[in-house]
Amino acid sequence: MEIVVVGRKTEVAPRFRRHVEEKLSKVTQLAPYAQRVDVEVSHEPNPRQAASSERIELTVRDRGPVIRAEASASDQYAALDVATTKLLERLRRSHDRRKAKSARRDQRAMPFPASPIDPVPAETVDLPNERVIAPDEVDVAVESQLGDSPVVVRQKLHRTAPMSVEDAIDEMELAGHPFYLFVEAESHQPAVVYHRHGWTYGVIRLDAEATSSEVEAS
């Protein structure tokens, strides 16, 4: 398994790289088919955010869904510890789900089909601030500023495949996000599943056909 460590607006010391490799060595125990783990290290220079100035984002590239975790702390080592704990827990949950659903999943495709691994980890591209430009490369983050305002919009283009609401909830929990955008397999409509409270979830669907008809009419 390959471990790729990149720094975003910060330098990554060789000692910390070695520590990352040691911490993530347990990933193969829960994800034996994992091909790569991307580790993004970033630093927030604002002194008011010193308690969370170091941020670690971990992304496991496996045959199935992408599993990720992130954490922030006052130093890189503490942030890595928290992020690794979250990641291993999500890998365990993913492993348990695969075992519980093996009978049903044998008859249908994986939520995310296997895809070639990019030769380089995801990176951030800073663009001119005249307008928000949509990304055209998979897993490459694009940042653009809204005119002269301090608002910065960060976008990513992800590879996906139609899935059920149940699978979308699983993907959302594995990614550690409060919501998840997907294309529903039955209706082929874009939708968002989100966490409400406890074990309650919500789904928002877009009537894409109605939207496209309105655009054509205008």
Side-chain angles (χ1 to χ4, degrees), residues 131-195:
R131 60 191 178 91
V132 176
I133 301 177
D136 56 7
E137 293 185 61
V138 176
D139 287 338
V140 175
V142 174
E143 289 190 355
S144 52
Q145 189 173 344
L146 294 182
D148 296 328
S149 73
V151 177
V152 175
V153 178
R154 190 170 194 255
Q155 303 181 77
K156 268 190 180 181
L157 178 65
H158 292 282
R159 186 179 289 112
T160 187
M163 65 181 69
S164 65
V165 172
E166 180 184 5
D167 287 334
I169 291 175
D170 286 347
E171 298 287 341
M172 176 184 68
E173 292 182 344
L174 292 175
H177 288 165
F179 68 92
Y180 190 82
L181 175 66
F182 69 105
V183 176
E184 188 179 21
E186 183 176 353
S187 66
H188 296 285
Q189 296 281 18
V192 172
V193 64
Y194 62 95
H195 183 250

Side-chain angles (χ1 to χ4, degrees), residues 190-191 214:
E214 292 174 1

Side-chain angles (χ1 to χ4, degrees), residues 23-41:
K23 290 287 292 185
L24 297 180
S25 61
K26 299 178 181 178
V27 168
T28 54
Q29 299 176 13
L30 297 169
Y33 299 106
Q35 301 177 43
R36 193 181 78 203
V37 180
D38 290 336
V39 183
E40 183 177 290
V41 184

